[in-house]
């Protein structure tokens, strides 16, 4: 079993910064990817940034150059540094870890409870 816990959300003015931290607990045998998703009111949950097992990172076009994802395998944490925040970044941010399941065709996603990020003046 894997449990994820996010922290670091809050209220910030446009142009400000926040750092989200996700701490994983439990046993993880291999990781396909880990990352951050967000969901704003009335919108679908979308990928913000993720990191593949080989270390390659991917970012949504809307956050490129502003957000940075990082991980510490030993501590089982994944962070999202968010700079130059915009009102449109307002959403609930969810930590995600995708791991192999019982078969390669059935990977398993683990999700945190989410942390609210509000960017407003």
């Amino acid at each position: 079993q894997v449990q994820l816990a996010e922290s670091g959300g809050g209220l910030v003015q446009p142009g400000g910064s926040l750092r989200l931290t996700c701490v994983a607990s439990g046993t993880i045998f291999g990781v396909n990817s880990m990352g951050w998703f967000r969901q704003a009111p009335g919108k679908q949950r979308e990928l913000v940034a993720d990191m593949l097992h080989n270390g390659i990172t991917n970012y949504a076009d809307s956050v490129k150059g502003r957000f940075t994802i990082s991980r510490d395998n030993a501590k089982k944490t994944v962070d999202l540094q968010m700079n130059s925040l915009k009102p449109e970044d307002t959403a609930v941010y969810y930590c995600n870890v995708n791991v192999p399941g019982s078969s390669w065709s059935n990977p398993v996603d683990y999700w945190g409870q989410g942390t609210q990020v509000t960017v407003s003046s």
Side-chain angles (χ1 to χ4, degrees):
Q1 287 289 97
V2 177
Q3 293 180 312
L4 306 177
E6 305 101 332
S7 63
L11 175 65
V12 65
Q13 292 185 331
S17 298
L18 287 173
R19 187 177 185 89
L20 306 182
T21 298
C22 175
V23 180
S25 61
T27 303
I28 303 177
F29 296 104
V31 175
N32 294 326
S33 66
M34 59 187 69
W36 292 89
F37 289 70
R38 68 186 181 188
Q39 187 166 25
K43 295 184 178 181
Q44 300 275 15
R45 184 174 297 187
E46 65 175 348
L47 172 68
V48 178
D50 69 1
M51 180 177 290
L52 305 182
H53 64 90
N54 57 9
I56 294 177
T57 56
N58 302 290
Y59 296 92
D61 288 340
S62 60
V63 308
K64 287 181 179 178
R66 300 188 297 120
F67 292 10
T68 302
I69 188 171
S70 61
R71 70 183 181 190
D72 187 322
N73 292 332
K75 296 182 178 180
K76 295 190 291 185
T77 60
V78 55
D79 289 2
L80 184 69
Q81 178 65 47
M82 306 185 295
N83 299 325
S84 302
L85 284 162
K86 304 175 180 179
E88 50 263 43
D89 295 318
T90 297
V92 177
Y93 284 70
Y94 298 90
C95 179
N96 167 264
V97 177
N98 183 270
V99 303
S102 58
S103 67
W104 283 104
S105 63
N106 190 35
V108 177
D109 279 303
Y110 292 94
W111 298 91
Q113 293 184 346
T115 184
Q116 177 71 48
V117 172
T118 302
V119 185
S120 176
S121 60

